[in-house]
Amino acid sequence: YLTWPDLITNPRVGTPWQILYQTQNNRAFITTMGLDCDTFHQVLNHGFADQWDTQPIPHSDTHPTGPPHLGGCSLDASGALGLVLHYLSSAVPSTNLQQIFALIPSTVARYLDFGLSILLNVLQAMPEGAIQWPKEDQFQEYGNIITQRHDLLDGAFGSMDSLKVPV
């Protein structure tokens, strides 16, 4: 397993995650986290950052209602969201996440648990995060569009293709 001396010294500067985040490249975001840059920031700004910054990370040797130590976290809110989305979107071993974010195993586990609970809260509160069935009159319309492009795919009513999804 990895220890602090094996990793980049500051998880907030110069890590592979920080370099990816600074690019703000939609293709890179979608490939590694499953979201484009705008959606990433929408989730971040719709409550993820606020909850990450105002709630203490649960830990066995801290008081659960104590104040958070913002400067003491290895990741800021965007890094925490990036970690959670990398975890959900990829099949990489935890050692890869440790290297990408310059974190030791126990910190990755703690941040994932905390970040996943925050992400669930945020998505449940976001109207855009809801999964909705098409309206009854839209099933056939969507099916026709899909069949035009993929003639062997019959009976489908939803599809995702490329980087842009029609609104």
Side-chain angles (χ1 to χ4, degrees), residues 34-105:
L35 301 178
D36 64 15
C37 297
D38 289 341
T39 306
F40 179 92
H41 288 100
Q42 186 176 8
V43 171
L44 185 67
N45 296 326
H46 195 63
F48 192 94
D50 183 54
Q51 290 182 50
W52 181 265
D53 290 342
T54 59
Q55 298 177 24
I57 299 171
H59 195 279
S60 60
D61 65 351
T62 61
H63 195 277
T65 59
H69 299 284
L70 296 179
C73 292
S74 297
L75 296 178
D76 59 8
S78 62
L81 180 57
L83 174 66
V84 169
L85 294 174
H86 268 78
Y87 171 76
L88 292 173
S89 297
S90 66
V92 299
S94 64
T95 52
N96 288 33
L97 292 175
Q98 294 163 27
Q99 292 171 329
I100 292 167
F101 292 88
L103 300 171
I104 60 172

Side-chain angles (χ1 to χ4, degrees), residues 146-162:
I146 292 167
T147 305
Q148 284 175 353
R149 181 158 182 165
H150 307 283
D151 56 349
L152 297 177
L153 188 57
D154 188 33
F157 62 86
S159 174
M160 290 179 62
D161 190 14
S162 188

Side-chain angles (χ1 to χ4, degrees), residues 104-121:
I104 60 172
S106 60
T107 302
V108 168
R110 191 170 25 261
Y111 282 15
L112 282 175
D113 286 343
F114 186 53
L116 284 166
S117 67
I118 292 174
L119 181 60
L120 178 61
N121 291 338

Side-chain angles (χ1 to χ4, degrees), residues 7-20:
L7 300 169
I8 296 170
T9 56
N10 186 348
R12 290 188 182 219
V13 179
T15 64
W17 157 251
Q18 285 296 321
I19 293 165
L20 170 70

